[in-house]
Amino acid sequence: AVIKPDEIEAGIATSTQDLLVGASPGVVVTTDGGNPTGGATIRIRGGSSLTASNDPLVVIDGVPQTNQSQGGGMSALTMVNPQNIESMTILKDASATAIYGSRASNGVIIITTKKGMSGRPQVNFSANFSVNTARKRLNVMNGQEFADIVTDRLGESTAAQLGYNGTIYNTDWQKEVLRTSFSHDYNLSVGGKAGILPYRVTASYTNNQGILKTSGMERTTVGFNLSPKFF
């Protein structure tokens, strides 16, 4: 399966793993609860082992990546700016193991980044701004309502032992920890061909503030790509 993200999808996505959500049959992507720096659980054709890793092999421009934390996140997919991706190829069948060996037993995600092209130098700049907010909040009891339930079900003596017979504080913890945040992303690229040497230089900055007050991701990436063909 080949996935080619368009400019709108790449601009909205913070991480490359966001582009895989619902993009191909048989590929299930479970994100980390909306955490900007969190990785995602990716399963191709389901899990195959109870004790070993079920993560697919990620290959970026021919270089296999490890599952160690890099690029500020728990996945190799977080260190690639989505706007620098030309295409993603997902190998689901057993034939993938013939190319990459046993590491490909859970499938392979091959990422190809954009390269320089012949012609006059092209300069591209994109900027995205977004507002993040909680879609809804849970309807829970306040302090007084909870104290009344304890008193009604367990009696006043039990409520007194638990401390629900004095001053009641009605703190809305959802309001205290959640926020409306503002995120922005900038990407600049220069590509062309100097003689026989296609080149592409990119620089990007992402500041994604989560709706949880203690969450957020700030990422700066710089890329320099040369792809000559001598013969």
Side-chain angles (χ1 to χ4, degrees):
V2 179
I3 302 173
K4 292 186 176 181
D6 56 27
E7 294 181 358
I8 297 179
E9 289 178 331
I12 295 177
T14 302
S15 177
T16 304
Q17 61 198 12
D18 298 334
L19 300 176
L20 295 173
V21 178
S24 177
V27 180
V28 179
V29 181
T30 306
T31 58
D32 187 16
N35 184 4
T37 60
T41 301
I42 303 176
R43 295 291 178 264
I44 300 177
R45 295 179 289 106
S48 59
S49 175
L50 295 176
T51 58
S53 174
N54 288 299
D55 296 331
L57 175 65
V58 178
V59 180
I60 302 177
D61 285 337
V63 181
Q65 306 294 316
T66 66
N67 290 328
Q68 297 176 354
S69 177
Q70 51 188 320
M74 295 303 295
S75 171
L77 299 177
T78 59
M79 71 179 187
V80 181
N81 192 303
Q83 300 191 56
N84 292 332
I85 294 178
E86 180 70 25
S87 65
M88 291 185 292
T89 303
I90 303 176
L91 305 181
K92 309 176 185 178
D93 300 327
S95 60
T97 61
I99 305 175
Y100 297 100
S102 60
R103 295 178 299 174
S105 59
N106 298 312
V108 184
I109 300 176
I110 301 176
I111 298 177
T112 303
T113 60
K114 296 179 181 179
K115 306 292 191 303
M117 301 179 65
S118 59
R120 301 178 58 184
Q122 294 184 354
V123 179
N124 296 309
F125 175 76
S126 63
N128 296 282
F129 178 81
S130 60
V131 179
N132 313 306
T133 185
R135 186 175 64 89
K136 68 175 182 179
R137 296 180 179 178
L138 299 178
N139 185 19
V140 298
M141 293 183 293
N142 58 29
Q144 186 60 55
E145 292 172 341
F146 185 75
D148 293 341
I149 288 292
V150 174
T151 303
D152 181 63
R153 298 293 177 87
L154 303 178
E156 294 185 2
S157 59
T158 303
Q161 293 177 1
L162 296 176
Y164 291 120
N165 61 338
T167 303
I168 302 298
Y169 297 94
N170 295 312
T171 303
D172 186 351
W173 289 109
Q174 296 180 88
K175 182 179 179 181
E176 296 295 325
V177 302
L178 297 178
R179 65 181 175 183
T180 299
S181 64
F182 305 95
S183 303
H184 46 92
D185 176 85
Y186 307 97
N187 186 72
L188 174 66
S189 65
V190 180
K193 187 175 183 180
I196 63 170
L197 191 62
Y199 66 90
R200 190 170 190 268
V201 182
T202 62
S204 64
Y205 173 75
T206 302
N207 191 336
N208 183 12
Q209 298 298 323
I211 62 174
L212 196 64
K213 290 184 178 181
T214 57
S215 66
M217 182 189 72
E218 189 174 11
R219 178 186 61 198
T220 302
T221 60
V222 177
F224 185 70
N225 185 284
L226 300 175
S227 52
K229 293 183 179 180
F230 299 103
F231 304 102

